[in-house]
Amino acid sequence: MNIVGITACTAGIAHTYIAKEKLTQAGIEHGHRIRIETQGLAGIQEKLDSKEISEADVVIIAADIKISGRERFEGKKVVEVPTSLVVKSPNKLIEKLEEINQGA
């Protein structure tokens, strides 16, 4: 499964990057391709390109604030969660994304 997403927390410091690392690691461990853009204190980093988005099966938005560029994901399966959920349970979230992708 191809997963793309965005992480962003209120301060744009710790949880943004912790959530990215946890999602990326869990995605890889489950055998998926995953690319995460961060929107934090340093602005947008590792911005997703249109090809990555068009090839994605699922989009995960792990954010505690309004993100920039949400319209890029129109027509995609989008799952929105707070960053705290990703930090606490990244593997369960990936399993949920797998279910959503399979239409469960």
Side-chain angles (χ1 to χ4, degrees):
M1 180 168 64
N2 287 326
I3 303 168
V4 297
I6 295 175
T7 59
C9 67
T10 53
I13 304 172
H15 282 95
T16 297
Y17 302 101
I18 293 169
K20 177 192 173 190
E21 287 306 312
K22 294 236 178 196
L23 265 177
T24 301
Q25 187 174 11
I28 291 170
E29 287 174 5
H30 283 78
H32 305 297
R33 288 182 20 188
I34 183 165
R35 266 267 294 135
I36 302 294
E37 170 183 305
T38 56
Q39 295 187 11
L41 190 61
I44 296 174
Q45 294 182 313
E46 300 184 52
K47 187 172 183 174
L48 298 167
D49 65 35
S50 58
K51 183 174 187 264
E52 291 170 318
I53 294 169
S54 70
E55 292 177 350
D57 298 303
V58 177
V59 177
I60 177 78
I61 297 176
D64 306 319
I65 59 173
K66 185 177 178 182
I67 60 158
S68 297
R70 192 184 188 307
E71 68 281 356
R72 295 177 287 166
F73 308 120
E74 191 171 315
K76 291 288 181 182
K77 295 176 188 171
V78 178
V79 176
E80 295 187 57
V81 297
T83 57
S84 60
L85 189 137
V86 175
V87 171
K88 289 179 186 170
S89 305
N91 289 312
K92 285 187 178 179
L93 179 58
I94 293 295
E95 290 166 8
K96 186 67 179 172
L97 295 179
E98 292 168 342
E99 289 175 16
I100 289 169
N101 187 48
Q102 294 171 359

